[in-house]
Amino acid sequence: MYNSWVEISKSAILHNLAQYQKVVGQSVEIMPIVKSNAYGHGMVQMAKLVSSKTSWLGVVSLGEALKLRKNKIKNRIFVLSYAQSNYLKQGIEQNIELPVYDLPTAKLISQIAAKSGKYAKIHIKVDTGASRVGVLAQNAFEFIKKISQLPNLEIVGIYSHFAASEENQKYTQLQVDKFGQVLNQSDQLRVIPYRHFACSAAALVKPQAHLNLIRLGLGLYGLWPSPLAKKIALKHYPWLKLKPALVWKTKIIQIKEISAGTKIGYGCTYTAKKKMTIAVLAVGYWEGYDRHLSSKGQVLIKNKKCPVVGRICMNLTMVDISSVKNAKVGEEVVLLGKGITVESLAEKIGTINYEVVTRINPVLKRKYLN
């Protein structure tokens, strides 16, 4: 439908998974996180790719989980954040593992499971300092006690989430300690089989947080959570190498010569200082190419970096190709990858690498390369 697409290296994904498996060792399981269209890489395809390498998959919602089941994914699937009530019966019947962080939700899951003659697998979410969803750590023991009395619930996991494992090691340790206290208390009631806390960053910088299951998100796709996390990780694991898996491309749809003084784009924010050759690209902010890259971004055409000129439009972007010889309409243009790093775009936009890849429009075609 569109002249912009994404290419994904399957071998890079499998390489990154193997690197993390080497970091955590055989006693720790890995849950690849494929939520939110697998951070822009394609949820169903990524799930199928890693499904034979791990028992687990993580998604954000029950709707995503059921989509994976519809696509014949048989792995253990855990919902990280929210389970929509209208899908609960179906989710329980299809053995989706659910998050619980408040009593009304736990009671509803219990009731639906009992009516279905099933046991619902649940994970208790504990808030140790991120102040997102989760029962507060100081209330966790009493909460688990109440949950344990509800019928048709099987508590198979307990987990938390770091607020700043990419950048604040002191606060990260405080969260580790707080979660450790919760685990010690909960063990007095029952031993919960799976304990998970570490994300991509914490798995590299905080071995204490490995427990027996880690959740691998950004690192699976070959991206570093932060420069500090990378620096700390390479001190411990100098052999570690992550391979970015995604290349984003578009095409030139028109080339034209403009004279000095010509205005380019909405708002006339860019004025050509001299005679210039510009290419119009079939990509804009609807496709996910951020408007903050206007007159800041660069693209690759015939291996040469070409600057974005003028404001990025909804579906079009203009670039200066004066330095490129023999460029043609229909020419491939690299927006991201092969020298244009996610981190460089994130810095220009004023955001994080997570957002750059995740916001590539999911309707764009993904091509999976061996």
Side-chain angles (χ1 to χ4, degrees):
M1 291 175 66
Y2 304 96
N3 274 349
S4 182
W5 68 98
V6 175
E7 296 176 354
I8 312 292
S9 167
K10 294 195 287 187
S11 62
I13 297 291
L14 295 176
H15 165 85
N16 298 329
L17 177 58
Q19 291 283 283
Y20 270 87
Q21 286 171 329
K22 187 175 178 181
V23 167
V24 301
Q26 294 181 347
S27 62
V28 180
E29 295 184 47
I30 292 180
M31 180 192 297
I33 304 303
V34 295
K35 69 172 183 172
S36 305
N37 204 34
Y39 296 36
H41 295 69
M43 182 179 73
V44 173
Q45 293 84 354
M46 289 296 98
K48 288 181 176 179
L49 178 62
V50 301
S51 61
S52 65
K53 305 294 183 182
T54 178
S55 301
W56 293 86
L57 292 167
V59 295
V60 71
S61 69
L62 189 44
E64 285 187 347
L66 291 171
K67 183 175 181 179
L68 292 183
R69 284 284 187 258
K70 188 176 181 180
N71 281 274
K72 299 181 171 33
I73 303 294
K74 300 185 184 303
N75 297 57
R76 296 182 74 162
I77 301 175
F78 173 57
V79 174
L80 293 159
S81 297
Y82 55 90
Q84 301 97 319
S85 57
N86 55 317
Y87 291 147
L88 278 175
K89 184 176 185 295
Q90 192 178 353
I92 292 166
E93 289 173 348
Q94 298 208 29
N95 208 29
I96 306 297
E97 304 188 23
L98 306 171
V100 167
Y101 39 81
D102 63 64
L103 200 54
T105 301
K107 288 179 177 178
L108 180 60
I109 294 171
S110 171
Q111 291 166 5
I112 293 173
K115 286 181 182 178
S116 301
K118 302 278 187 180
Y119 272 80
K121 290 185 171 71
I122 64 168
H123 296 233
I124 307 294
K125 177 66 180 288
V126 180
D127 178 6
T128 56
S131 298
R132 306 196 314 179
V133 295
V135 58
L136 291 171
Q138 60 266 33
N139 301 331
F141 179 75
E142 290 301 321
F143 182 73
I144 295 169
K145 189 186 295 185
K146 290 176 182 177
I147 298 297
S148 299
Q149 295 168 359
L150 295 174
N152 294 78
L153 295 183
E154 182 184 356
I155 303 175
V156 297
I158 183 169
Y159 70 116
S160 189
H161 190 72
F162 285 111
S165 57
E166 300 92 343
E167 52 198 341
N168 188 330
Q169 296 309 299
K170 184 177 180 180
Y171 193 74
T172 297
Q173 186 59 50
L174 288 173
Q175 285 192 265
V176 168
D177 294 342
K178 193 176 287 189
F179 193 56
Q181 292 169 6
V182 171
L183 293 179
N184 289 336
Q185 291 175 336
S186 68
D187 283 346
Q188 298 172 29
L189 290 172
R190 58 168 67 219
V191 176
I192 300 174
Y194 284 98
R195 297 119 183 272
H196 46 112
F197 202 167
C199 54
S200 295
L204 298 176
V205 305
K206 190 63 67 175
Q208 288 171 271
H210 290 175
L211 304 173
N212 62 358
L213 176 65
I214 71 160
R215 304 185 301 267
L216 178 58
L218 193 72
L220 178 65
Y221 308 106
L223 302 176
W224 292 94
S226 71
L228 178 60
K230 181 178 181 179
K231 182 179 179 181
I232 295 172
L234 291 179
K235 281 185 179 179
H236 296 297
Y237 316 106
W239 46 264
L240 180 64
K241 182 179 181 182
L242 299 180
K243 296 181 179 181
L246 183 151
V247 177
W248 185 11
K249 296 181 178 179
T250 189
K251 289 184 178 180
I252 296 174
I253 59 171
Q254 188 179 15
I255 294 173
K256 61 177 73 174
E257 303 288 336
I258 61 172
S259 57
T262 301
K263 305 291 185 184
I264 300 176
Y266 284 127
C268 303
T269 58
Y270 188 92
T271 303
K273 295 178 181 178
K274 56 184 179 180
K275 183 180 177 182
M276 181 184 291
T277 304
I278 64 167
V280 183
L281 311 182
V283 69
Y285 56 80
W286 181 85
E287 286 84 0
Y289 198 65
D290 199 287
R291 195 167 177 270
H292 288 92
L293 293 169
S294 298
S295 296
K296 290 182 182 178
Q298 292 181 316
V299 302
L300 280 180
I301 301 175
K302 289 184 176 292
N303 293 317
K304 288 204 169 188
K305 288 186 176 180
C306 302
V308 173
V309 288
R311 284 185 182 161
I312 291 166
C313 312
M314 187 179 292
N315 307 102
L316 300 171
T317 296
M318 288 68 74
V319 297
D320 177 7
I321 61 166
S322 302
S323 64
V324 181
K325 293 181 180 179
N326 303 318
K328 299 176 182 178
V329 170
E331 193 96 48
E332 281 193 0
V333 178
V334 176
L335 303 166
L336 174 58
K338 300 188 176 183
I340 307 289
T341 68
V342 183
E343 288 73 24
S344 67
L345 294 186
E347 184 177 359
K348 288 172 182 174
I349 295 166
T351 187
I352 54 176
N353 52 5
Y354 295 75
E355 184 177 353
V356 174
V357 288
T358 303
R359 292 186 67 190
I360 299 173
N361 197 316
V363 304
L364 299 183
K365 184 175 178 62
R366 268 68 176 167
K367 299 179 181 180
Y368 297 90
L369 312 176
N370 288 317

